[in-house]
């Protein structure tokens, strides 16, 4: 995975040095931990996360499970794998939470450009592919063209879009000219649920507005949408390439809307995607999906153990 190639190379170097040692001394272990720390920090994993990760590895690596292992170096690698899985999973590996009584409501939140609209299409496509009947909802009325953009995405994914615009399936009374961003996103979101119930859509995916920075007014709007539709999932979408800002942004959205899960986007991007790896650990919320490109199929269900193994491959 492009976002982690450099991290993977560096960790594999560290383990290669360790494997050349045979029986491990405390200083061998400390040397390896130093290499791991540097690799993680250079990949933009946050300092707090790296510190506690390194201290857990050190404690376990100096303990009996390594000193008594037939292959101590391999045992250290297993420990790193287990601890990385914990970081990535916040102790949780769970599927999407579907409502007992449809429709399931999924709300997307995140900064502008994080990949929410793209994700709406991917999620819709994936749900349709797995036998669901999704509906996309354009509740980003802040940005000109956001509605049109979702409609394009919906068309590509062959998933209908509910939007406050003429000429679409919506029977909303809010009408805006194409390209104009007006209307009440809370009403659109609320009406879309009744529409889905009526037309038997089983999953509603609500795209919401995002700003370039965290914005209290938009956070309030997101809360109002949340409170109006009571989502089964609030997915926080984070661009893996935003670097160290990822942690602050995630915390702000966690406080702002109390999201239920994380989606890492743009993991196909640059080689410093480590900041995104801190998000689950910092917020205690699970990562549910990973987005790995602009295409509809560049998307996968996230499993912390599999991702850890890929990073350590
Ligand atoms: P939004 O403002 O949060 O709705 O973000 P968009 O969905 O409009 O995405 C912003 C830009 O990122 C668009 O150009 C997308 O094509 C691109 N994008 C979204 N997800 C991915 C991804 O996983 N990988 C890559 N490479 N680009 C992505």
């Amino acid at each position: 995975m492009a976002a982690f190639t450099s991290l993977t190379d560096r960790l594999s170097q560290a383990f290669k040095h360790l494997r050349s040692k045979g029986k491990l001394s405390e200083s061998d272990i400390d040397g390896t931990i130093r290499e791991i720390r540097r690799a993680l920090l250079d990949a933009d994993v946050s300092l707090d996360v790296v510190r506690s990760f390194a201290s857990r590895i050190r404690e376990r690596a100096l303990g009996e499970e390594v000193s008594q292992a037939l292959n101590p170096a391999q045992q250290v690698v297993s420990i790193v794998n287990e601890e990385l899985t914990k970081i990535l999973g916040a102790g949780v590996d769970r599927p999407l939470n579907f409502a007992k009584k449809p429709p399931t409501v999924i709300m997307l939140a995140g900064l502008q450009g994080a990949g929410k609209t793209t994700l709406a299409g991917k999620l819709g496509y994936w749900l349709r592919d797995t036998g669901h009947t999704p509906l996309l909802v354009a509740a980003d009325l802040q940005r000109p063209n956001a509605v049109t953009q979702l409609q394009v995405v919906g068309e590509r994914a062959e998933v209908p879009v509910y939007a406050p615009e003429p000429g679409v399936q919506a029977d909303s009374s809010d009408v805006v000219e194409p390209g104009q961003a007006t209307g009440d996103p809370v009403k659109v979101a609320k009406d879309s649920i009744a529409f889905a119930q009526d037309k038997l859509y089983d999953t509603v995916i609500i795209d919401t507005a995002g700003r370039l920075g965290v914005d209290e007014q938009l956070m309030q709007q997101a809360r109002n949408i949340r409170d109006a539709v009571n989502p089964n999932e609030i997915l926080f979408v984070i661009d893996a390439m935003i670097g160290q800002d990822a942690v602050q942004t995630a915390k702000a959205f966690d406080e702002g809307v109390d999201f239920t899960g994380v989606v890492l986007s743009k993991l196909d991007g640059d080689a410093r995607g480590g900041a995104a790896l801190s998000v689950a650990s910092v917020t205690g919320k699970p990562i549910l999906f990973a987005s790995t490109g602009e295409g509809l199929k560049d998307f996968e269900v996230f499993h912390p153990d599999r991702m850890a193994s890929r990073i350590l491959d």
Side-chain angles (χ1 to χ4, degrees), residues 10 28 64-65 96 106 154 181 221 243 254 256 292:
R10 299 268 304 268
D28 293 331
E64 278 184 12
E65 60 182 317
L96 196 65
I106 302 169
Q221 182 188 89
D254 196 24
T292 54

Side-chain angles (χ1 to χ4, degrees), residues 108-120 122 140 143 146 149-150 153 156 207-211 237 239 241 264-269 290-295 298-299:
L108 308 182
L111 294 180
Q112 184 178 315
K116 292 181 296 300
T117 306
T118 309
L119 176 75
K122 292 176 179 186
D140 176 358
R143 193 161 50 94
Q149 195 195 340
L150 189 70
V153 162
R156 205 177 298 147
D207 191 18
T208 66
R211 277 275 166 87
V237 184
D239 176 344
M241 295 195 283
L264 301 183
S265 79
K266 309 193 192 179
L267 286 188
D268 54 311
S291 226
T292 54
E294 296 187 81
D298 299 328
F299 166 81

Side-chain angles (χ1 to χ4, degrees), residues 292-308:
T292 54
E294 296 187 81
L296 281 174
K297 293 183 185 166
D298 299 328
F299 166 81
E300 57 189 76
V301 176
F302 189 91
H303 297 289
D305 55 345
R306 288 187 213 166
M307 184 56 82

